[in-house]
Amino acid sequence: MELDKIKRLKNAYLKLSSSTLKERNEALLRIAEDLVDAKEDIFTENGKDVEEAKKNIGEAVIKRLKFDEAKLKSSIDGIKDVVKLPDPIGKTLEKRELDDSFILERKSFPIGVICMIFEARPDALIQIVSLCLKSGNAVVLKGGKEAKRSNRAIFETIKNALDKTSLGSDFIYLIESHEEVSEILKLDKYIDLVIPRGSNSFVRYVMDNTRIPVLGHADGICSIYVDESADLNMAVRVCLDSKTQYSAACNAVETILVNKKIAKEFLPLLKKAFDESKVVIHASDDVLSIIDAERADEADFNKEFLGFECALKIVDDVKSAIEHINSHGSHHTDAIITKSEENKNLFFSLVDSADVFANCSTRFADGYRFGLGAEVGISTSKIHARGPVGLSGLMSYKWLLSGNGEIVKDYADGLKSFHHKDLV
Amino acid sequence: MELDKIKRLKNAYLKLSSSTLKERNEALLRIAEDLVDAKEDIFTENGKDVEEAKKNIGEAVIKRLKFDEAKLKSSIDGIKDVVKLPDPIGKTLEKRELDDSFILERKSFPIGVICMIFEARPDALIQIVSLCLKSGNAVVLKGGKEAKRSNRAIFETIKNALDKTSLGSDFIYLIESHEEVSEILKLDKYIDLVIPRGSNSFVRYVMDNTRIPVLGHADGICSIYVDESADLNMAVRVCLDSKTQYSAACNAVETILVNKKIAKEFLPLLKKAFDESKVVIHASDDVLSIIDAERADEADFNKEFLGFECALKIVDDVKSAIEHINSHGSHHTDAIITKSEENKNLFFSLVDSADVFANCSTRFADGYRFGLGAEVGISTSKIHARGPVGLSGLMSYKWLLSGNGEIVKDYADGLKSFHHKDLV
């Protein structure tokens, strides 16, 4: 790793952040064009990655790793979508006259230097660079090792494209080894934010090994509570979708809590649907007296199964459900199925999670579905950004104050006084 | 420290956050009344603190430590100001129809459990509890050790007042020893945010010894750049105010950078004003050929003097000034004195600090002066909140999604599609 280049990212971001929207959009389009021109080389390198990966890893990873015409097209479309986004830099968030002609403005400004660590998906690199370019952030990129050749080919193409523009390419930097990640995590003086994607254990490792703020989430232990007043068919449908629509996702449901008053009626319905979809149920003893299932141990209620399995438990009422969720969940996404407005409101106000849903699938917890545009990540922290994070998660702000020689002494001595008139 | 009580703060904050504005405001007024009723006891305890402090510490600290009728009155006025603030909880920040009758809302919600560590100022405890109560946050309080008896008396009064209300007092917890601070900093599972105030070395210690997010700033190395086009009398006045109006503050100026084209004319004016106010100048060699001053070493340009001293240097132009500030400053507050709109804009866009000012004193960097109401702290981080932080710095948000049985499969299969209509 070239520490000099990492240090220079701070300056590069300042230069980038003071560029015009036109310059940034032109650079994005230049990248799109050059990626198309270089596609054969990129496909060749990607082919080598795929060949090698086939020896070691499963079909799902290969599918994500493969970069072909279709993936290229959707990447190019993605770049064009980012071009269409309004300029996130320099938006006036507050404007206030402190005194006559003494104007304070709070303006959006990039965070600075972001380190993005992402899975073995070459299209992710393109998307991340696009978002950082648009938002004026410098970026250290580290993709999954299986995509090493593809990432290098794509990175070099982007770098050469940028070098042909007024912006230059100093604001992007690719690292390739796991050792470099450990080094990067020590550079809290030069990196402002780390966004790690990948396995829970990897995200946890990042969180535990850096003083740089981390945006992300380790676990995704999401729950659904089926209330006594639930529409039971709706409950079955929502539970099934939340578990099976994409079971490896962080927003898939892991724990289902059923109100005791409807357990006898609901559990057989759920069991039938889950059996048909081959979902294994790990259930507490009281459930087992109603339906057949695996016997759950306590650990099953703190587990992200990441597959066609779930934990199932009977609870007394909405309050016990909330208590269970707050103490066993990961504060990511939790849902209630109910017809009671009162129980829904209680659930909304007392469940301590980023996303709290009523009568719909937990799988809706996603930046695109939320209408945020491209998703940067999902955060379970309450600081900075919570839940699905769009482009705005890459922005900070600055306070700009323009005066005419004002000094504090005049205000402290009572010669002048603030009138604090909001202008925006 | 009773770990059980700390753990219970999470539930206490959820209960508090679901209380009504009326309940919280009534509790605030109850606290105000009871503080007045208990004033003789509090003054007595404060008197003991002051007596003991007189043996060890200086006049400035004693002045802040003293809690008398005047301080009580301004504390009560402060509580009444907080009562008047609009409810920060449950504000709709975004509202979007994802599809027909499928409504997403982003609503403001307290961060959770805040640990506030503050200087030996008994009135600070009252202000912090008021802000946390209003914003629905639970709080662990640790005041300066010199104010131990005062804080205990005030805390007990507040606790008893709260116990008479529907809210109870479970959401506040007082710790008294430095050892307890070290223990608290380990509790990242139970504390959501630490806000340390106090000496640079203490804040640095907190930042270096916890995985809990920290809101604050260690150093306050603020600079003023006097541009070639500056009004020189204005520059002298602003430099003097920035240095002397309250030299121990984090927003006092420490480094003054002077454009070489005006150095010969400006430096004698500055020297005269600083001599009259007994400000010691540590200057680089090129300055010393124009005026008499102490010879600066490199360390003086990375120093927060916290007194009537400053570092002084000649620079080539606005760009060199920006470069110096970004590499030597602490990204807190920096100002330019200039008549050039172009240089001001360059300074505003390239200085990487929370507060960037033109033609006014750096001492304006303050929540009250900015019109934010009560100030929670000043942050030099770019994550969550930057610069002076008001009540909004204690707030996070939740995403609430209300549906009618929607499942992701229908959208993934193209049976339904999002229309993402913004309602707010």
Side-chain angles (χ1 to χ4, degrees), chain A residues 25-216:
Chain A
N25 282 343
E26 280 172 2
L28 283 165
L29 294 172
R30 161 65 52 199
I31 290 173
E33 250 179 62
D34 284 16
L35 283 171
V36 173
D37 289 348
K39 69 178 182 181
E40 294 308 334
D41 287 350
I42 297 170
F43 293 160
T44 306
E45 292 304 303
N46 182 251
K48 293 181 200 163
D49 279 337
V50 169
E51 275 317 300
E52 189 166 316
K54 276 182 179 163
K55 299 174 198 158
N56 310 306
I57 49 176
E59 197 49 45
V61 179
I62 301 284
K63 221 170 125 184
R64 289 197 281 182
L65 176 56
K66 188 136 183 73
F67 189 76
D68 52 15
E69 282 286 358
K71 291 265 184 78
L72 176 67
K73 186 183 175 306
S74 78
S75 294
I76 300 296
D77 290 347
I79 293 177
K80 288 178 181 163
D81 285 345
V82 172
V83 168
K84 281 180 216 147
L85 292 175
D87 196 351
I89 307 176
K91 273 201 288 190
T92 298
L93 307 169
E94 289 183 58
K95 188 169 181 176
R96 188 172 298 126
E97 195 176 71
L98 304 189
D99 195 355
D100 292 340
S101 305
F102 192 24
I103 309 291
L104 178 71
E105 271 192 284
R106 183 163 70 91
K107 282 197 168 184
S108 66
F109 201 71
I111 285 180
V113 185
I114 315 272
C115 175
M116 280 270 202
I117 310 175
F118 50 100
E119 57 279 35
R121 257 183 51 208
D123 48 331
L125 194 155
I126 300 173
Q127 192 202 21
I128 291 164
V129 170
S130 310
L131 291 173
C132 287
L133 199 173
K134 181 84 182 200
S135 61
N137 287 285
V139 62
V140 177
L141 300 147
K142 166 70 176 74
K145 62 179 184 302
E146 297 84 2
K148 197 166 170 175
R149 293 182 193 86
S150 321
N151 285 339
R152 203 180 298 162
I154 292 173
F155 180 83
E156 287 302 328
T157 305
I158 292 176
K159 195 170 145 54
N160 291 334
L162 286 169
D163 281 334
K164 291 181 224 158
T165 74
S166 55
L167 303 179
S169 64
D170 282 353
F171 66 92
I172 58 172
Y173 189 78
L174 182 71
I175 59 175
E176 300 191 327
S177 72
H178 191 72
E179 293 68 48
E180 286 175 306
V181 173
S182 315
E183 280 177 63
I184 283 280
L185 295 181
K186 289 179 197 140
L187 302 179
D188 54 303
K189 223 179 134 183
Y190 304 108
I191 312 273
D192 295 298
L193 182 68
V194 184
I195 307 182
R197 303 201 300 218
S199 69
N200 305 4
S201 58
F202 173 70
V203 175
R204 173 77 54 204
Y205 165 82
V206 171
M207 290 175 164
D208 288 354
N209 285 283
T210 187
R211 279 165 47 196
I212 307 170
V214 178
L215 191 153

Side-chain angles (χ1 to χ4, degrees), chain A residues 10-11 13-15 17-18 94 96 98 102 104 109-112 192-193 204 207-208 211 213 234 237-238 241 245 326 344 347-361 363-364 368-372 381-388 395-412 418 420, chain B residues 10-11 13-15 17-18 94 96 98 102 104 109-112 192-193 204 207-208 211 213 234 237-238 241 245 326 344 347-361 363-364 368-372 381-388 395-412 418 420:
Chain A
K10 279 259 176 204
N11 285 329
Y13 115 78
L14 288 166
K15 190 184 153 202
S17 68
S18 61
E94 289 183 58
R96 188 172 298 126
L98 304 189
F102 192 24
L104 178 71
F109 201 71
I111 285 180
D192 295 298
L193 182 68
R204 173 77 54 204
M207 290 175 164
D208 288 354
R211 279 165 47 196
M234 180 201 284
R237 207 167 61 239
V238 168
D241 188 77
Q245 201 271 330
N326 284 343
K344 172 183 142 175
F347 196 83
F348 273 13
S349 84
L350 292 182
V351 169
D352 196 11
S353 297
D355 308 311
V356 191
F357 294 177
N359 301 321
C360 60
S361 170
R363 291 273 301 121
F364 284 105
Y368 164 71
R369 291 174 195 137
F370 273 17
L372 306 181
S381 156
K382 296 185 204 168
I383 306 302
H384 188 58
R386 192 179 194 196
M395 303 307 292
S396 178
Y397 54 78
K398 261 187 194 180
W399 294 94
L400 304 172
L401 180 60
S402 295
N404 318 281
E406 284 80 356
I407 59 173
V408 163
K409 189 174 186 298
D410 289 344
Y411 293 85
F418 296 105
H420 290 150
Chain B
K10 279 259 175 205
N11 285 328
Y13 115 79
L14 288 166
K15 189 183 155 203
S17 68
S18 61
E94 289 183 58
R96 187 173 297 127
L98 303 189
F102 192 22
L104 178 71
F109 201 71
I111 285 180
D192 296 296
L193 183 68
R204 174 77 54 201
M207 289 175 165
D208 288 354
R211 280 166 46 198
M234 180 202 284
R237 208 166 61 236
V238 168
D241 188 77
Q245 201 272 330
N326 284 343
K344 171 184 144 176
F347 196 84
F348 272 13
S349 83
L350 292 181
V351 169
D352 196 13
S353 297
D355 308 311
V356 191
F357 294 177
N359 300 323
C360 61
S361 169
R363 291 271 302 121
F364 284 104
Y368 164 70
R369 291 176 195 136
F370 274 17
L372 306 181
S381 157
K382 298 184 204 171
I383 306 302
H384 188 58
R386 192 179 193 194
M395 303 308 290
S396 178
Y397 54 79
K398 261 187 194 180
W399 294 95
L400 304 172
L401 179 60
S402 295
N404 317 281
E406 283 80 357
I407 59 173
V408 164
K409 190 175 186 299
D410 289 344
Y411 293 84
F418 296 106
H420 290 151

Side-chain angles (χ1 to χ4, degrees), chain B residues 337-350:
Chain B
I337 312 296
T338 187
K339 282 182 200 148
S340 153
E341 199 63 19
E342 192 186 336
N343 287 356
K344 171 184 144 176
N345 288 338
L346 205 65
F347 196 84
F348 272 13
S349 83
L350 292 181

